[in-house]
Amino acid sequence: MLARKSIIPEEYVLARIAAENLRKPRIRDRLPKARFIAKSGACNLAHKNIREQGRFLQDIFTTLVDLKWRHTLVIFTMSFLCSWLLFAIMWWLVAFAHGDIYAYMEKSGMEKSGLESTVCVTNVRSFTSAFLFSIEVQVTIGFGGRMMTEECPLAITVLILQNIVGLIINAVMLGCIFMKTAQAHRRAETLIFSRHAVIAVRNGKLCFMFRVGDLRKSMIISASVRIQVVKKTTTPEGEVVPIHQLDIPVDNPIESNNIFLVAPLIICHVIDKRSPLYDISATDLANQDLEVIVILEGVVETTGITTQARTSYIAEEIQWGHRFVSIVTEEEGVYSVDYSKFGNTVKVAAPRCSARELDEKPSILIQTLQKSELSHQNSLRKRNSMRRNNSMRRNNSIRRNNSSLMVPKVQFMTPEGTQNTSES
């Protein structure tokens, strides 16, 4: 059978499909903005086309410490295996050159007992036995079945050389593993930063703020915080600087710029004339190609090693007109910290203009605070009216329920014609 011909012409259908496709907006996935420091503190930088690779071998210990754990364990295992095999070959060559292997092959039984005083190493009759003796010498196991004699000065030299090489391998590999387990950035895993930074008014000034905390009870000694703004700039001569770093001062009443990180703290930067954020308003912030890098440094109390924790905030992660909620409370004489609210913020009144405009027109701040106060009063009036209405509705519903539960009155007619009313 032939297919039924459509009633609607094909030209009309194709034109309609094309028109619908044109109407639909094509939404492309927005590429994530590249950042120099990830939220975890890792540096987002790839090194390419490094020609002088030999420089890494000049500092072999640091190269081993920087390797991944799987590579370190492979090198750790192969270093011992290779040294055992190398000295096993040397022990076998010593026995072969001295004729010990042929002596054990030719004599058997009781005759072998007399060879112990004439061979270099007793019971080394094959490469397998030489490999086992190499392991016993370097690891100092000493099972007692194989031992050296004073017949071969060359064997004594090999013994001294293997002991020295074994000690060097042990010192380097064990030191490398210890340094990997005690690296400073491991302590930084318990130093946390807020997910977002905020810009709000504090003491009459616009301030850039974020929160930092330490999850461990052991403290960070001489902790200090540094803030830098990294952005792409162009000089008047036309030179493009892709990584232009600008220091941001931290508002700290202590002259040494150290903080006492016993509880989560809000680090504040006053946006003044020295700040790179001085000319940025709330509207301009979304279009800014900048990254605020935060660096926390200090000495670990338990180990004495200097540690460093890093994070960064791009423009999308800075909330204008927000403030961090309080998470430290006093309970029964003890200060308690609620880390579930560590990054929580609340919206507060803040002018949307830049700090420069706020300095030039201080009345903007007064108007903003007055508007927020009026809106707050209006919201309070609405809440009170809603509560009043809810209470009135509740009272009316209670009255209706009480009236429905009242006992009805019943009238009885007596023979004399008088009415007698009684409540049942």
Side-chain angles (χ1 to χ4, degrees):
M1 293 179 62
L2 296 174
R4 292 184 180 180
K5 191 174 182 180
S6 176
I7 300 175
I8 303 175
E10 294 182 359
E11 294 81 1
Y12 177 76
V13 175
L14 293 175
R16 185 173 181 180
I17 292 173
E20 289 179 355
N21 291 333
L22 289 175
R23 289 194 210 105
K24 290 181 180 179
R26 296 181 181 180
I27 301 174
R28 296 182 179 178
D29 295 336
R30 186 178 180 182
L31 295 176
K33 181 184 178 300
R35 58 198 309 162
F36 295 103
I37 302 296
K39 298 300 290 184
S40 60
C43 296
N44 187 21
L45 189 65
H47 298 275
K48 296 182 179 180
N49 301 326
I50 300 177
R51 298 180 180 179
E52 299 180 0
Q53 298 287 345
R55 292 181 177 271
F56 295 98
L57 297 178
Q58 295 177 3
D59 187 10
I60 186 64
F61 186 77
T62 305
T63 303
L64 292 175
V65 173
D66 290 339
L67 289 176
K68 295 182 179 179
W69 268 107
R70 55 178 178 268
H71 299 154
T72 303
L73 293 177
V74 169
I75 294 174
F76 180 83
T77 305
M78 293 303 298
S79 62
F80 283 102
L81 288 177
C82 292
S83 64
W84 294 339
L85 287 172
L86 176 62
F87 283 99
I89 295 173
M90 296 179 67
W91 287 117
W92 184 83
L93 292 175
V94 169
F96 179 79
H98 194 260
D100 299 344
I101 296 177
Y102 290 107
Y104 276 108
M105 290 174 61
E106 291 175 357
K107 298 182 180 181
S108 61
M110 297 298 296
E111 297 179 356
K112 292 184 179 180
S113 60
L115 296 174
E116 296 180 357
S117 60
T118 58
V119 297
C120 292
V121 181
T122 59
N123 294 326
V124 175
R125 61 194 69 179
S126 63
F127 181 77
T128 304
S129 58
F131 180 73
L132 293 176
F133 181 71
S134 175
I135 295 175
E136 293 178 14
V137 170
Q138 188 164 335
V139 189
T140 64
I141 296 176
F143 289 117
R146 301 174 185 85
M147 61 182 182
M148 286 186 54
T149 62
E150 54 187 17
E151 294 293 328
C152 299
L154 179 61
I156 298 174
T157 305
V158 174
L159 176 65
I160 296 173
L161 181 62
Q162 185 172 6
N163 286 330
I164 294 174
V165 172
L167 289 174
I168 293 174
I169 294 174
N170 289 336
V172 172
M173 298 312 301
L174 294 179
C176 176
I177 291 178
F178 172 76
M179 289 301 297
K180 285 185 71 66
T181 55
Q183 280 183 334
H185 69 271
R186 303 294 179 187
R187 178 62 176 87
E189 296 294 334
T190 52
L191 296 173
I192 57 176
F193 298 88
S194 57
R195 185 72 181 176
H196 295 85
V198 299
I199 293 179
V201 177
R202 174 182 281 191
N203 298 327
K205 297 286 185 179
L206 278 177
C207 298
F208 173 86
M209 294 174 286
F210 61 92
R211 178 173 276 167
V212 60
D214 188 5
L215 299 179
R216 290 187 182 273
K217 291 186 177 180
S218 58
M219 296 179 56
I220 299 294
I221 303 172
S222 301
S224 61
V225 177
R226 292 188 293 115
I227 308 177
Q228 288 185 345
V229 170
V230 178
K231 61 180 180 179
K232 183 179 180 181
T233 58
T234 304
T235 61
E237 294 78 15
E239 180 186 0
V240 178
V241 182
I243 307 176
H244 184 56
Q245 301 181 10
L246 298 172
D247 287 331
I248 292 181
V250 179
D251 184 19
N252 194 350
I254 304 176
E255 294 182 358
S256 61
N257 203 24
N258 293 336
I259 59 175
F260 187 53
L261 196 59
V262 66
L265 298 177
I266 297 176
I267 307 301
C268 176
H269 158 65
V270 179
I271 304 177
D272 52 10
K273 296 180 180 179
R274 301 174 298 170
S275 174
L277 308 176
Y278 188 61
D279 296 323
I280 298 176
S281 62
T283 307
D284 300 335
L285 181 62
N287 301 323
Q288 290 292 322
D289 186 14
L290 58 86
E291 180 178 355
V292 181
I293 298 176
V294 179
I295 302 172
L296 172 63
E297 292 180 336
V299 179
V300 182
E301 184 180 18
T302 54
T303 60
I305 300 175
T306 303
T307 185
Q308 184 183 92
R310 300 178 294 267
T311 191
S312 67
Y313 300 98
I314 57 178
E316 289 81 2
E317 297 171 349
I318 301 175
Q319 297 179 345
W320 195 289
H322 285 72
R323 182 183 298 163
F324 289 104
V325 299
S326 178
I327 61 175
V328 180
T329 57
E330 186 177 356
E331 299 177 358
E332 298 179 357
V334 178
Y335 287 99
S336 177
V337 181
D338 186 6
Y339 281 99
S340 63
K341 302 177 182 178
F342 183 81
N344 293 358
T345 60
V346 293
K347 196 170 183 179
V348 295
R352 308 289 294 178
C353 63
S354 63
R356 179 186 292 275
E357 296 177 3
L358 189 62
D359 290 342
E360 294 175 354
K361 299 178 181 179
S363 60
I364 298 177
L365 179 60
I366 300 174
Q367 294 175 1
T368 304
L369 295 178
Q370 289 177 354
K371 290 180 181 179
S372 67
E373 184 66 24
L374 290 175
S375 62
H376 181 65
Q377 292 178 0
N378 293 331
S379 63
L380 288 178
R381 291 195 193 96
K382 290 181 180 179
R383 289 179 184 176
N384 294 331
S385 62
M386 289 177 64
R387 290 176 182 175
R388 196 179 302 109
N389 294 334
N390 291 333
S391 62
M392 291 177 62
R393 291 173 184 173
R394 196 179 300 109
N395 293 333
N396 292 333
S397 62
I398 292 172
R399 290 174 183 175
R400 292 193 193 98
N401 294 333
N402 293 335
S403 62
S404 63
L405 295 175
M406 291 178 62
V407 180
K409 295 182 179 180
V410 182
Q411 294 181 355
F412 296 96
M413 299 297 294
T414 58
E416 290 77 13
T418 60
Q419 295 181 356
N420 186 10
T421 304
S422 63
E423 295 182 359
S424 59

